[in-house]
C-alpha cells in the first residue's frame, strides 16, 4: 500500500531558502511516490501572529509559494490546518495524557523561557497540536528540517502512549531529515528563520537576493589566503544548489586565490538562476487568488473526511461516544 507523507509550514513570514532546502523541496520531489498531505499550519501561527488580516495575507502567500515550487493539487492534498478543526479536539485529548514536565523539556519552550519571553499556553502546547496533525492522517513519514526533529519524537511518544492506554490506534511516524542540508544558515550566521529577519527569500527580487548575500558575515582573510570552506556560511549556501562548480569552488577555497566578494557574486548568480523560474510561476499564480482558495477548500474537504473517520474511532475509544 502507498505510504502517507505529511508536512506543514507556518504562515508567519516570507518563505526562504532554508524552508525550501530543509523541507519544502521534498514535498515536491516525493508527491509521485506517497499519498501526500501538505498543509498551512495557521493554528500554529496564531502562537506568534495576532493580526487577523496579516495572518490571512501570509496564509494566501504561503499557498501560492507551495504551488509555485511545484506542489500539484492533483497529486497532493493541499489544505489549511484550520479547515480540519478536529485536530484541535485531538490535541485536547492528547493534552490529557501528556504531563507538564514532559512538555517543559521541549527545545522551543525552553528557548523561549530562556529569553524571558512570556510564553503563551499555545506555544507550550505547540508540539501536541503538531502531534495531532501528524497522527490524524496516519503519516508514515514527515519531511522536516533538523530543528523539528524533537517535535516528531514527541508525536511518536504521544502515539505510543495513546496506543498503550486505549489500544492500537495511531501509526508511529518517522521524521525524514535531509542529512546533507542540516540547518541552512541565515545572513547573520544563525539558523535562517522567518522569525530572525535573516532570510534569503525564496521569491525575493534580484536586488533583495544580492543585498542579503552581501550581508553574510565572513572572516577577514585576503584573496590569496587559503580558506576553510567547512566553516564558511557562504560556502554552506553554495552547497545547497545543484550543479557544477561546488567542488571547483571548494578547491579554490583550500588553495587560496578566491576572495569573499567573488564567492558572494557567484552565489547571487546561482540563487537568481535557480529561483527565477519559480518566481515567474508564482507571479502567474498570484494573478488568480480565487483559484488558490478553491484548491485549499477542496483539499480541506478531503483532509477533513480523513480526520472525521479517525475521530470517530478516537472518540469511541476514549469514551466520549456510545457505540
Ligand atoms: P521558520 O524557522 O523560518 O519560521 P518554520 O518553522 O515555518 O520556519 O519551518 C518550516 C520548515 O522548514 C520546517 O520543516 C523546518 O524544519 C524547515 N526549516 C526552517 N528553517 C530552516 C533552516 N534554516 N534550515 C533547514 N530547514 C529549515
Ligand atoms: N512546527 C512546524 C514548523 O515550525 C510546522 C508544523 C506544524 C508541522 N504541524 C506540523 C510540520 C506537522 C510537520 C508536521 O515548521
Amino acid at each position: 500500500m502507498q505510504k502517507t507523507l505529511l508536512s506543514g509550514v507556518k504562515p508567519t513570514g516570507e518563505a526562504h531558502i532554508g524552508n525550501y532546502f530543509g523541507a519544502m523541496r521534498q514535498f515536491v520531489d516525493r508527491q509521485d511516490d506517497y499519498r501526500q498531505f501538505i498543509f498551512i499550519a495557521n493554528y500554529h501561527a496564531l502562537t506568534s501572529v495576532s493580526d487577523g488580516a496579516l495572518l490571512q495575507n501570509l496564509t494566501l502567500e504561503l499557498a501560492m509559494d507551495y504551488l509555485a515550487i511545484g506542489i500539484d493539487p492533483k497529486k497532493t492534498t493541499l489544505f489549511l490546518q484550520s479547515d480540519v478543526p478536529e485536530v484541535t479536539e485531538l490535541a485536547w485529548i492528547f493534552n490529557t495524557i501528556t504531563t507538564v514536565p514532559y512538555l517543559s523539556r521541549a527545545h522551543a519552550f525552553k528557548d523561549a523561557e530562556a529569553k524571558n519571553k512570556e510564553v503563551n499556553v499555545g506555544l507550550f502546547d505547540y508540539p501536541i497540536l503538531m502531534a495531532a496533525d501528524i497522527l490524524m492522517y496516519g503519516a508514515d513519514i514527515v519531511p522536516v528540517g533538523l530543528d523539528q526533529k524533537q517535535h516528531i519524537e514527541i508525536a511518536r511518544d504521544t502515539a505510543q502512549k495513546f496506543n498503550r492506554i486505549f489500544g492500537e490506534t495511531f501509526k508511529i511516524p518517522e521524521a525524514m531529515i535531509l542529512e546533507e542540508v542540516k540547518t541552512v544558515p541565515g545572513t547573520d550566521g544563525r539558523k535562517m528563520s522567518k522569525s530572525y529577519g535573516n532570510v534569503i527569500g525564496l521569491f525575493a527580487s534580484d536586488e533583495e537576493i544580492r543585498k542579503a548575500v552581501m550581508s553574510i558575515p565572513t572572516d577577514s582573510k585576503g584573496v590569496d589566503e587559503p580558506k576553510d570552506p567547512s566553516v564558511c556560511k557562504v560556502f554552506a549556501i553554495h552547497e545547497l544548489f545543484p550543479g557544477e562548480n561546488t567542488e571547483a569552488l571548494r578547491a579554490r577555497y583550500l588553495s587560496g586565490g578566491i576572495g569573499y566578494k567573488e564567492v558572494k557574486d557567484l552565489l547571487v548568480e546561482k540563487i537568481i538562476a535557480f529561483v527565477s523560474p519559480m518566481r515567474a510561476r508564482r507571479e502567474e499564480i498570484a494573478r488568480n487568488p480565487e483559484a488558490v482558495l478553491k484548491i485549499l477548500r477542496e483539499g480541506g474537504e478531503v483532509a477533513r473526511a480523513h480526520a472525521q473517520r479517525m475521530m470517530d474511532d478516537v472518540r469511541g475509544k476514549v469514551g466520549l461516544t456510545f457505540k
Side-chain angles (χ1 to χ4, degrees):
M1 212 177 73
Q2 209 177 25
K3 295 212 162 168
T4 299
L5 179 154
L6 171 139
S7 194
V9 175
K10 279 177 297 177
T12 49
E14 181 190 12
H16 53 78
I17 62 169
N19 298 141
Y20 181 75
F21 287 103
M24 293 166 84
R25 181 182 49 162
Q26 302 186 71
F27 312 164
V28 180
D29 292 349
R30 302 186 188 278
Q31 58 188 342
D32 288 322
D33 307 327
Y34 288 88
R35 171 87 187 84
Q36 190 159 284
F37 292 90
I38 299 295
F39 65 96
I40 296 177
N42 54 352
Y43 282 138
H44 276 108
L46 283 175
T47 62
S48 61
V49 180
S50 316
D51 174 337
L54 175 64
L55 184 61
Q56 282 178 335
N57 234 332
L58 291 169
T59 301
L60 188 59
E61 296 280 326
L62 180 56
M64 291 175 181
D65 296 347
Y66 274 138
L67 295 169
I69 64 170
I71 299 267
D72 177 352
K74 291 196 198 74
K75 298 177 181 167
T76 293
T77 300
L78 182 64
F79 66 104
L80 287 185
Q81 186 183 32
S82 60
D83 279 342
V84 187
E86 286 78 5
V87 286
T88 62
E89 182 185 6
L90 185 57
W92 175 257
I93 293 171
F94 288 159
N95 279 338
T96 65
I97 61 165
T98 304
T99 71
V100 172
Y102 175 80
L103 275 191
S104 307
R105 289 195 289 274
H107 301 315
F109 170 67
K110 283 203 298 197
D111 290 352
E113 280 248 291
K115 287 184 194 135
N116 281 330
K117 285 204 187 137
E118 290 268 349
V119 176
N120 62 56
V121 178
L123 183 65
F124 180 66
D125 201 32
Y126 185 113
I128 294 301
L129 180 58
M130 183 158 161
D133 289 326
I134 295 171
L135 303 178
M136 182 71 97
Y137 307 96
D140 295 285
I141 65 159
V142 186
V144 283
L146 188 59
D147 60 316
Q148 296 296 314
K149 189 171 178 198
Q150 190 189 36
H151 290 152
I152 313 293
E153 276 154 19
I154 294 174
R156 291 167 61 89
D157 288 348
T158 305
Q160 277 157 349
K161 193 160 185 188
F162 186 99
N163 290 351
R164 206 163 51 237
I165 300 172
F166 297 107
E168 204 53 37
T169 308
F170 294 109
K171 259 197 220 164
I172 313 299
E174 298 276 348
M176 182 184 256
I177 296 169
L178 295 177
E179 266 314 299
E180 68 279 15
V181 174
K182 300 213 172 67
T183 298
V184 177
T187 55
D188 57 0
R190 292 188 292 170
K191 170 191 129 92
M192 187 176 289
S193 173
K194 287 173 242 157
S195 44
Y196 295 159
N198 63 354
V199 309
I200 303 177
L202 188 54
F203 298 98
S205 66
D206 290 2
E207 213 24 64
E208 287 164 333
I209 293 171
R210 170 165 299 279
K211 208 163 149 224
V213 169
M214 291 304 158
S215 72
I216 302 172
T218 55
D219 59 32
S220 52
K221 291 209 168 89
V223 174
D224 295 330
E225 284 178 81
K227 302 175 182 66
D228 180 356
S230 70
V231 298
C232 176
K233 306 293 183 200
V234 187
F235 189 81
I237 300 178
H238 262 286
E239 276 185 304
L240 298 170
F241 291 87
E244 348 68 82
N245 53 16
T246 313
E247 280 322 301
L249 191 64
R250 185 193 307 279
R252 291 184 69 199
Y253 262 78
L254 293 170
S255 64
I258 188 165
Y260 290 116
K261 169 78 173 57
E262 185 182 347
V263 172
K264 287 181 172 180
D265 283 339
L266 287 171
L267 181 58
V268 170
E269 262 173 48
K270 238 189 205 176
I271 298 177
I272 291 174
F274 189 81
V275 304
S276 291
M278 292 198 292
R279 223 164 43 186
R281 224 176 304 144
R282 198 182 181 296
E283 277 167 23
E284 199 56 44
I285 292 164
R287 290 209 188 102
N288 194 353
E290 275 310 317
V292 177
L293 292 175
K294 179 162 178 278
I295 290 169
L296 294 176
R297 254 191 324 270
E298 288 172 0
E301 283 166 17
V302 174
R304 191 163 192 201
H306 277 263
Q308 284 171 336
R309 276 197 299 279
M310 178 59 95
M311 287 314 289
D312 271 352
D313 185 28
V314 170
R315 293 165 135 252
K317 280 183 171 137
V318 301
L320 291 171
T321 47
F322 296 86
K323 282 259 161 77

